[in-house]
Every structure is written in C-alpha cells, then in structure tokens.
Amino acid sequence: EVFVSMLAADKLELTSCIRKNAVELKAKELDLHRGNLEAVGTQAAVLAGFAICMALKVDVPDGEQTTMECIFYFFSCVTLTFNLRCLALTASITVMATGLALRGPDGSMVKAVEGMHEQRGVVFKSFGIGICSCCCSIMSLCWMKMHPASALVCNIMLVWALFFMGRSTRAYQEFFGYRESDTCRLDDVLGEELVQKEAIVRQLGVENETLIRLLAANSRERNRDADAVDL
C-alpha cells in the first residue's frame, strides 16, 4: 500500500512537471507569434502613413491625365485601407490572444497559440496587398509627374520588384513550409510507444531520476505485454 501511494505521488509529480514545461513551451510559441505580428503591424503603420502623404501631399497637374489621377488615388486608398486593416488585425489578435492565454480557463494557452497561428495568414495577405497597391500607386504617379520615357523605365523597375518579391515569397514558403499533419504535438510524442519516453521527459526539464526510471519501467512493461499478446 505504501508503494502504491509512492507511485501515485510520483505520477502526480511527473504529470505536474510535464504540464508546467509544456505550458512554458507554448508561452515561447506565443511570444514568437506576438513578435511576428507586431513586426508586420509596425511596417503596415509606416505604409499607411506613406499612403496618407501620397493622397494629400502629391501635387497633381490640373486638368491633365485624369485617368492616371483616378488610378493613383484608387491605389492610394487601397494601400491605406489594407494597411490599416493589417494594423487593426495585429493589434486585436495580439491583445486578445495574450489576454486569453494569461487570464482564460484551463487550456487557454493552447487555444490562444493555435488561434494566432491560424489568423496570421489573414494578416500577411492584407500586408501583401498593401505593398502591391503601394507599388501600383507609385507606378501611376510616375506617369503623371515624369516624362514618358522616364516613367516607362521606372515602371519596368517597379514591375520587376513586384515580380521578384512574389517569387521570393513563394520560394521561402516552399523552403520553410510544412504540413500541419506533420507537426509534432506533446501528447502525440508521449503517446508514441516507439519513442523512449524517458528521453522526452528529460528534454522537458524533469530531473527526478526516480520518475524517469518509473516511466522507463512502465514503457518496458507495456512492450512486454504487447509482445505477449502478439505471441
């Protein structure tokens, strides 16, 4: 009976250590997503300021090139709209997700991290549209303010820049991309019979040798039971 009580206490201590270290790992992932979103939001705020300056400070020749003027103001408004949208999304996601993670019920840390991971695509798309529309507004501005030959050269450079940014973004997505089904979860690792669980526990920061030996003995016992069933 005393031995059973000791095993129960060791199991409880092991569970507490694993949960504590798992929450710390999720907290690091939360900080990672928050830093990424804040960086994108800062750049979106800068581009929104540029869009306001373009719409208000640029002198357009009176009565000339009405079509290009409409195109310029259209893309300036698109730039402002999507960058402000990106800024609002980053602020909302960051504030609400961190509040949920720190003040929510049990399991809120995982929910907050997964939510930030899912919503980052919307933020990045809005930021990308803002960059493209900013380049398009500059292209139309070149036709209004420059000689046609100079405007053509500047437009070719801007089109090349857009193409290069798109190709680089796609290449980086393929290089750093992964399938969500291949991601490693803590419960999947601890539930896998082919992995040495005591090594995983060591990586999580559990230093109690008794608990690690108990977990190793439990794994060996389960393997013997599985072999006996197969025979």
Side-chain angles (χ1 to χ4, degrees):
E1 183 177 356
V2 176
F3 181 73
V4 173
S5 300
M6 293 176 59
L7 289 180
D10 290 340
K11 181 180 179 181
L12 181 60
E13 183 180 356
L14 175 61
T15 304
S16 300
C17 292
I18 292 177
R19 286 178 61 86
K20 174 179 175 295
N21 287 277
V23 170
E24 291 179 354
L25 291 177
K26 281 297 179 181
K28 292 181 180 180
E29 189 175 355
L30 181 70
D31 292 336
L32 172 64
H33 290 310
R34 184 178 60 183
N36 292 337
L37 292 177
E38 288 178 351
V40 174
T42 301
Q43 300 303 320
V46 174
L47 289 179
F50 288 162
I52 295 176
C53 292
M54 285 191 299
L56 298 179
K57 299 296 184 179
V58 173
D59 296 329
V60 179
D62 296 333
E64 297 181 3
Q65 297 178 339
T66 306
T67 303
M68 283 298 171
E69 181 180 353
C70 294
I71 294 175
F72 168 73
Y73 282 116
F74 170 77
F75 281 113
S76 297
C77 291
V78 172
T79 303
L80 178 61
T81 301
F82 277 92
N83 282 289
L84 288 178
R85 178 175 181 264
C86 179
L87 182 60
L89 288 174
T90 54
S92 300
I93 294 172
T94 302
V95 172
M96 295 180 183
T98 52
L100 174 64
L102 297 177
R103 300 177 61 88
D106 189 20
S108 297
M109 178 68 73
V110 176
K111 182 180 179 181
V113 172
E114 294 299 328
M116 295 180 73
H117 180 74
E118 293 176 359
Q119 294 300 319
R120 64 174 185 167
V122 180
V123 176
F124 294 159
K125 288 180 181 178
S126 181
F127 182 65
I129 294 174
I131 292 178
C132 294
S133 59
C134 182
C135 292
C136 292
S137 62
I138 297 175
M139 291 169 63
S140 59
L141 182 62
C142 292
W143 287 107
M144 291 191 301
K145 305 288 287 186
M146 297 180 181
H147 188 272
S150 301
L152 179 61
V153 174
C154 293
N155 276 259
I156 292 174
M157 294 179 63
L158 288 171
V159 170
W160 177 84
L162 285 173
F163 174 77
F164 179 78
M165 285 189 294
R167 188 180 64 177
S168 299
T169 302
R170 182 176 295 273
Y172 290 145
Q173 286 179 344
E174 294 177 355
F175 182 78
F176 295 107
Y178 59 90
R179 293 181 300 178
E180 292 295 332
S181 58
D182 295 337
T183 57
C184 183
R185 298 181 180 273
L186 184 63
D187 51 355
D188 295 335
V189 173
L190 293 178
E192 178 61 51
E193 296 297 335
L194 298 178
V195 178
Q196 293 184 355
K197 297 181 180 180
E198 57 273 16
I200 301 298
V201 173
R202 288 181 185 274
Q203 294 178 3
L204 289 174
V206 180
E207 301 295 340
N208 194 324
E209 295 294 335
T210 303
L211 298 180
I212 296 175
R213 287 196 299 269
L214 176 63
L215 187 58
N218 188 21
S219 299
R220 289 192 295 269
E221 183 177 355
R222 289 187 178 181
N223 290 333
R224 286 197 299 268
D225 294 339
D227 293 338
V229 171
D230 292 338
L231 294 176

